[in-house]
Amino acid sequence: MSKGASVYPLYIRKFTYSAEDVDCNLCTEYTRKIGCRHEVCPFLAERIEAGVVSYQSAVKAMIPRRSILWNRLSALLQNYPGYLWADSHHKTRMELFNHQLGYNKSRNTPSYYAAMFLLTSNQALFNRTGNCFYRSGIEFGYATLGGMSPHNQALYTAAKGLRNARGVTEAELADPSQIDDEAFRLIINAMLIAKYGTDVFKLKGETTHEP
């Protein structure tokens, strides 16, 4: 360290990206002739934060085109209701629970929020899994599993997978007889949260500023 250099780490001010900040026409990876040079935008997280990415584009960027999930994804993308929640009660339940638990920087990661999103999606599942959340993270062993419905079992298992435990497989997700349409939708939405953070709640339909 040079003489007189600060012993404190540098911190960059946190700000929210605007549509102007992430305009593709200003990006070095974008040309008017060929468009973006990448199959998936390398700055997608920043563009999601700015609110200029559609739900459809975010899902397409996350799921490889070779995935067997595309047999189900087409209908999901076409029928996107404009929000990620199961219903308004889901939104209220998760927001209140998150407020009660408080904020812990090391705990409140995208995967933590993604698991909470799934486990608060309906009251019955929340009743069985709410005590899994504690100061340092999530302990799935505290869940009450006996008599759990197939729908909630799929959501619970997917939540575990988002936290690096054994979750649902791609083959299970692709099979409507194993994971119903609403569970499939919620799991895909939770995967978006785990990958891009809570800014994905800003995702709208295809009427965005995308080029």
Side-chain angles (χ1 to χ4, degrees):
M1 179 182 293
S2 62
K3 184 178 179 180
S6 173
V7 295
Y8 298 101
L10 295 176
Y11 292 95
I12 300 174
R13 180 178 65 85
K14 172 64 177 175
F15 69 97
T16 301
Y17 286 96
S18 68
E20 291 74 21
D21 294 327
V22 296
D23 188 337
C24 289
N25 292 308
L26 302 178
C27 181
T28 57
E29 302 302 310
Y30 180 85
T31 67
R32 293 184 180 278
K33 185 175 181 179
I34 65 171
C36 184
R37 303 175 192 273
H38 301 268
E39 183 177 349
V40 175
C41 173
F43 308 108
L44 194 63
E46 291 83 357
R47 298 184 67 239
I48 289 174
E49 181 181 319
V52 298
V53 177
S54 70
Y55 176 82
Q56 290 82 357
S57 292
V59 172
K60 289 176 182 177
M62 180 178 67
I63 307 295
R65 290 299 303 179
R66 64 182 180 277
S67 172
I68 59 175
L69 297 181
W70 277 100
N71 288 333
R72 300 192 74 181
L73 282 173
S74 295
L76 177 70
L77 300 184
Q78 290 173 9
N79 298 312
Y80 177 58
Y83 52 85
L84 273 63
W85 307 101
D87 52 37
S88 60
H89 298 296
H90 179 195
K91 182 177 187 293
T92 300
R93 189 181 300 114
M94 177 173 171
E95 290 180 344
L96 287 175
F97 189 48
N98 183 52
H99 178 73
Q100 291 170 6
L101 291 170
Y103 180 77
N104 181 321
K105 184 177 181 181
S106 63
R107 178 196 65 186
N108 289 45
T109 62
S111 68
Y112 170 85
Y113 287 122
M116 183 184 289
F117 172 83
L118 289 177
L119 299 181
T120 59
S121 60
N122 65 73
Q123 189 64 49
L125 181 57
F126 179 59
N127 290 344
R128 290 172 173 273
T129 61
N131 62 342
C132 294
F133 293 82
Y134 68 110
R135 184 174 181 178
S136 299
I138 308 174
E139 177 50 67
F140 291 97
Y142 291 128
T144 303
L145 303 180
M148 184 179 285
S149 69
H151 174 86
N152 284 342
Q153 182 66 53
L155 298 180
Y156 169 77
T157 304
K160 288 176 61 178
L162 293 169
R163 297 288 289 175
N164 299 316
R166 184 186 181 281
V168 296
T169 66
E170 187 176 46
E172 289 169 336
L173 270 177
D175 186 353
S177 68
Q178 297 193 59
I179 296 179
D180 64 75
D181 289 343
E182 179 62 5
F184 177 75
R185 182 178 81 85
L186 292 171
I187 292 169
I188 293 296
N189 292 348
M191 290 169 61
L192 285 171
I193 298 170
K195 185 173 181 64
Y196 297 113
T198 55
D199 283 321
V200 299
F201 287 110
K202 300 176 184 178
L203 294 172
K204 305 298 183 183
E206 291 183 306
T207 55
T208 67
H209 295 88
E210 296 174 273

